[in-house]
Amino acid sequence: MTNDLANTRARYRREGLAASQADPDPVAQFRRWHAEWAATGPYDPAAAVLATVAPDGRPAARLVDVVRVDHGFVFLTRYDSRKGLELTVNPRASLCFGWLEADRQVRVEGDTERLDEVSADGFFGQLPRPVQLLARASDQSTAVDGPQVVREQIAALERRYAGQEVPRGREWGGYRLLPRRIEFWQGRVDGVPDRLRYQRRDDGGWDLERLTP
């Protein structure tokens, strides 16, 4: 850990997170924390663990990139991937952001909705061309004989779309997780972390409470 990051972590641990100082809007509070985290220069500031539940009740978790935070948390995937299929049956999901070097964690729970076609096209168009080709070539989460199969599919698509933009396949898009509960965890110097939980009310507002660590 660099000296700058160590000093930042020490400051966070001294200051903590008081309910009186937290933003009344948890998404705004998240943006504040995320901006502070991104400013430390982490390898992948967008990374989070996404958890879904299969129809048989078994949970599954994997890392995803949260590419936008507006009124929800947006991540991209193929709709026929395992997480896409699970979200089709059960749209409830959770995200966990673990910023360990800062001694911080954020958990988000809620329902998901598919991105509209225009938004999906926009996100796909922003991807690097190699990523676009991989998204079109890969039947995500299915068994394959070896990496060469995927490489050959990518090469075929490269020839097919030479000199033109790679179109988004209808099987590729994304989801927005609409938060119902957001929890912030901040480590403290004395070993008693601050833990604040926001819960959305029926009127659209938020209730904030402190939890035991």
Side-chain angles (χ1 to χ4, degrees):
M1 186 183 301
T2 65
N3 288 334
D4 287 345
L5 185 54
N7 292 335
T8 299
R9 173 182 170 133
R11 176 169 62 83
Y12 293 159
R13 287 168 58 84
R14 287 195 308 271
E15 295 175 353
L17 179 62
S20 60
Q21 297 173 331
D23 196 289
D25 180 350
V27 178
Q29 178 66 39
F30 174 87
R31 290 197 187 101
R32 180 192 305 170
W33 266 25
H34 186 264
E36 292 173 350
W37 169 242
T40 66
Y43 174 73
D44 187 357
V49 175
L50 170 71
T52 56
V53 179
D56 63 2
R58 296 188 182 190
R62 75 288 285 165
L63 283 168
V64 298
D65 275 349
V66 175
V67 297
R68 176 183 292 175
V69 180
D70 40 35
H71 59 287
F73 296 75
V74 177
F75 57 93
L76 309 176
T77 189
R78 287 176 61 104
Y79 295 130
D80 55 2
S81 67
R82 177 177 176 180
K83 56 183 171 294
L85 295 174
E86 290 177 347
L87 290 173
T88 298
V89 176
N90 181 357
R92 297 182 180 89
S94 65
L95 288 164
C96 182
F97 299 83
W99 302 325
L100 304 184
E101 292 84 354
D103 213 357
R104 287 177 169 178
Q105 174 182 263
V106 182
R107 297 169 58 196
V108 184
E109 301 174 21
D111 294 336
T112 60
E113 62 179 16
R114 283 194 182 192
L115 296 180
D116 60 76
E117 296 294 305
V118 173
S119 296
D121 285 340
F123 280 116
F124 189 81
Q126 296 171 13
L127 296 175
R129 188 177 181 86
V131 179
Q132 292 177 334
L133 291 168
L134 178 60
R136 289 297 306 269
S138 173
D139 292 330
Q140 193 175 356
S141 302
T142 59
V144 65
D145 290 336
Q148 189 59 31
V149 174
V150 180
R151 294 190 182 103
E152 291 173 356
Q153 292 172 334
I154 291 174
L157 287 168
E158 184 66 91
R159 292 191 297 270
R160 179 180 178 182
Y161 297 115
Q164 58 181 300
E165 294 183 357
V166 179
R168 177 182 66 89
R170 293 184 61 83
E171 73 284 347
W172 189 95
Y175 292 87
R176 178 180 285 105
L177 192 158
L178 303 171
R180 299 290 303 178
R181 181 180 294 117
I182 303 182
E183 181 182 308
F184 295 83
W185 191 98
Q186 171 66 69
R188 295 296 303 271
V189 173
D190 63 3
V192 182
D194 289 324
R195 188 179 174 193
L196 302 183
R197 182 175 66 191
Y198 296 77
Q199 295 199 83
R200 187 178 286 281
R201 301 190 302 267
D202 291 339
D203 64 4
W206 293 92
D207 289 326
L208 173 61
E209 60 185 348
R210 175 175 289 274
L211 304 178
T212 57

